[in-house]
Amino acid sequence: ELGWLGYEREDLVGKRKFRDLLTSESQAVFDESFPVFMERSLISDLKLDMIRKDGRIFPVMVSATVLKDRNGRFLMTRSSVFDYSVQKQLEADLREAV
């Protein structure tokens, strides 16, 4: 389901990569984190900012694993991307209240 990003499947598949949907700051974080992810085969709760089709930016947390074949060769990644806008706002509200 890509509706939460504002895209149709045809807009993205084979045309854009995950990195293309990130802000420039988050692209830098992704570029720094990706080699470590590939080495460790796991990343948890990486905080990034994504850009919806309409240009709105929203925070996400990404957790992913690398899937390899029997010989240890890379096959693909399996990722979960969570919108954590509400949590981020609550954290900001708590910081301001203290």
Side-chain angles (χ1 to χ4, degrees):
E1 175 66 40
L2 300 168
W4 60 284
L5 289 171
Y7 290 97
E8 298 295 327
R9 181 173 166 71
E10 301 78 35
D11 294 330
L12 299 177
V13 176
K15 297 177 184 171
R16 291 189 168 190
K17 296 184 182 214
F18 177 78
R19 185 184 183 285
D20 299 332
L21 302 173
L22 301 174
T23 63
S24 58
E25 295 85 8
S26 288
Q27 286 178 350
V29 171
F30 180 86
D31 292 346
E32 183 178 308
S33 302
F34 192 76
V36 175
F37 165 58
M38 292 303 287
E39 180 182 317
R40 295 183 183 166
S41 298
L42 176 69
I43 198 160
S44 296
D45 300 332
L46 179 65
K47 294 180 179 180
L48 302 168
D49 289 323
M50 293 189 78
I51 306 168
R52 288 188 168 105
K53 186 175 182 178
D54 66 8
R56 289 183 294 146
I57 295 171
F58 67 105
V60 297
M61 281 196 291
V62 177
S63 294
T65 57
V66 172
L67 301 177
K68 298 178 181 179
D69 67 13
R70 292 181 190 169
N71 297 316
R73 290 183 300 236
F74 174 82
L75 292 173
M76 62 188 233
T77 62
R78 175 129 318 148
S79 306
S80 297
V81 180
F82 301 96
D83 178 347
Y84 82 106
S85 301
V86 172
Q87 178 184 352
K88 187 174 181 179
Q89 184 59 53
L90 290 172
E91 289 170 358
D93 292 347
L94 281 173
R95 280 192 302 276
E96 288 178 19
V98 174

